[in-house]
Amino acid sequence: MRRPNRPVTAVLCAAALALTASACGPGNGEAGSDAKPTAAASLPSGSDTIKIPDELKDKLKQHGFDMDKWKGGEWKNWKKDQWLREAGDYINPIIAGLWDPDRMRDADVPPDRPVTDPDLGKDQGVTDPTPDPVTAKAAAPPFHQSVPEAGKVFFDGPEGSMVCSATVVKDPAHPGKSNMVWTAGHCVHAGKSGGWYRNIAFVPSYNNSGKSAAQLKGASRDQVAPYGVWWSDWAQTSDQWIAQGGPTGGAGAPYDFAVLHVTPEAGGGKSLEETVGSALPVDFNAPAVGKVAGITATGFPAAAPFDGQKAYQCTDKPGRLSLDASAPVMYRIGCTMTGGSSGGGWVAIGGDGKRALVSNTSIGPVKAGWLAGPRLGPEAKGVYDAVSGKFKK
């Protein structure tokens, strides 16, 4: 039985359900509050070296950033005139050791209060009844075996350190050797009122053995990130998300997707796909909602009752959610995953009978019960092809 439709929506970001990408992480969760980073946001000891290619050095200089100052903490300057937001302004130099085990664990602290617009979604296009909640089930550890393409994205914003989920996807320019990762737009860019987040890094099979938060205290980096920390040397999201993405109500949500190109912090010749042993194809011609038998969403939910340390999944037959009659209809499934699951991959069986990524977690209600994700079309394919083409040799 399905409940009456009540599409109360907001961006599912970092570590809080139904909260803006620009207000997720440590803080009091109030919109516009002067939230401060936690102590964990400071540079760890032993991070005296920073790997910045000449191209990045020049780009930093072009935007008025001094490399040594950036290395020493200038990246924490979130003044509006210093927060780069245009599509071509992405800068994310590696700071070796920044994402240590404690900082990764502490990035899962959710804000106290979500922000949402209760009137969004009414009378907008075609929307199916609200799905019944589907209880998220824990993926079986080791995660490298049960959900090999899944991982966590760590990044810094004005409010502190934050988290999302993501998926290793295939790169048509480098078959079998992909360094591409799929996530949500709001996990890399704050949208209309902000810019690119910083220190964006992907950790595949985070906490692979499924240890509890208590067990992870004092854990080594190899235990928390057994397949390494992969820094995003390029990120791209939709022009619509950058122009329209908003703090509440799902503004820009039908275009809330992003692709990262990553490189290992530790260096080495193997690609991400070779390292984890798997990558998913992306289906940009997924069938209409009524023809999809089921979708499985995977993520690392961090807001209560979860703690962000383990992978979870929900499987449900999708329905439709329309926030704007002029924008593509979104997929919607019943699922109790909370904030932190944003960006996690939605997988369905494609026309060829094989698993393919068809969406990613974007928005949900204040009280966990369902999730919605964009249906990937020409705009998403354009972003994907652009990132692949940028690193084609």
Side-chain angles (χ1 to χ4, degrees):
M1 180 177 179
R2 291 182 179 270
R3 296 175 292 166
N5 179 38
R6 292 180 295 171
V8 180
T9 60
V11 170
L12 264 174
C13 136
L17 177 67
L19 194 56
T20 161
S22 60
C24 300
N28 65 10
E30 294 290 345
S33 63
D34 187 22
K36 303 296 184 184
T38 62
S42 60
L43 288 170
S45 59
S47 61
D48 292 335
T49 60
I50 180 170
K51 305 173 185 177
I52 303 185
D54 290 340
E55 180 183 355
L56 269 180
K57 293 179 185 178
D58 293 340
K59 202 165 187 179
L60 283 168
K61 288 180 180 179
Q62 289 173 14
H63 291 288
F65 294 110
D66 179 88
M67 186 184 69
D68 291 331
K69 289 182 179 179
W70 185 275
K71 165 186 169 182
E74 180 64 19
W75 61 264
K76 299 177 192 175
N77 179 0
W78 294 97
K79 293 180 180 178
K80 191 171 183 179
D81 62 347
Q82 296 292 305
W83 195 3
L84 304 180
R85 63 167 275 105
E86 300 304 322
D89 287 347
Y90 181 76
I91 295 175
N92 194 52
I94 294 174
I95 302 179
L98 178 65
W99 290 111
D100 61 21
D102 291 338
R103 196 166 189 266
M104 283 190 269
R105 186 186 66 246
D106 292 344
D108 293 338
V109 179
D112 295 330
R113 183 182 177 186
V115 179
T116 189
D117 179 350
D119 295 324
L120 244 290
K122 293 180 179 178
D123 302 322
Q124 293 179 317
V126 180
T127 294
D128 293 321
T130 302
D132 290 328
V134 172
T135 301
K137 295 182 179 180
F143 301 140
H144 182 247
Q145 292 184 11
S146 60
V147 285
E149 304 90 2
K152 292 184 71 171
V153 174
F154 295 88
F155 55 102
D156 284 301
E159 293 79 23
S161 302
M162 301 184 276
V163 290
C164 275
S165 301
T167 307
V168 183
V169 295
K170 292 186 177 297
D171 179 356
H174 299 283
K177 297 182 179 182
S178 175
N179 284 309
M180 290 171 59
V181 175
W182 194 282
T183 189
H186 74 258
C187 296
V188 300
H189 194 288
K192 184 178 181 179
S193 299
W196 293 103
Y197 292 120
R198 297 170 182 167
N199 303 324
I200 300 172
F202 175 67
V203 177
S205 297
Y206 171 80
N207 184 25
N208 186 45
S209 59
K211 295 181 182 295
S212 67
Q215 292 173 323
L216 286 176
K217 290 184 178 180
S220 69
R221 207 182 199 205
D222 287 342
Q223 289 176 306
V224 174
Y227 297 92
V229 176
W230 297 71
W231 283 68
S232 173
D233 53 4
W234 187 253
Q236 196 157 334
T237 185
S238 67
D239 292 340
Q240 292 90 340
W241 175 257
I242 291 175
Q244 304 168 13
T248 61
Y255 305 97
D256 185 16
F257 43 76
V259 178
L260 311 178
H261 185 276
V262 298
T263 187
E265 178 181 306
K270 280 191 174 182
S271 67
L272 175 61
E273 183 176 1
E274 291 173 301
T275 300
V276 302
S278 186
L280 284 174
V282 183
D283 189 349
F284 298 104
N285 294 296
V289 169
K291 296 181 180 179
V292 180
I295 285 179
T296 297
T298 302
F300 286 79
F306 307 97
D307 64 6
Q309 307 308 317
K310 299 178 182 180
Y312 283 81
Q313 294 183 302
C314 291
T315 299
D316 194 16
K317 181 174 176 58
R320 295 167 292 183
L321 176 64
S322 176
L323 300 177
D324 184 333
S326 66
V329 170
M330 301 178 73
Y331 288 124
R332 180 164 63 162
I333 62 172
C335 186
T336 60
M337 283 197 289
T338 59
S341 63
S342 278
W346 289 29
V347 177
I349 302 301
D352 59 359
K354 298 180 180 179
R355 297 164 62 242
L357 184 115
V358 298
S359 186
N360 57 262
T361 297
S362 174
I363 57 174
V366 175
K367 293 184 178 180
W370 57 261
L371 300 174
R375 187 174 183 276
L376 307 181
E379 296 85 2
K381 189 176 188 305
V383 170
Y384 176 79
D385 288 346
V387 175
S388 175
K390 184 177 179 67
F391 293 88
K392 185 176 182 179
K393 293 181 181 179

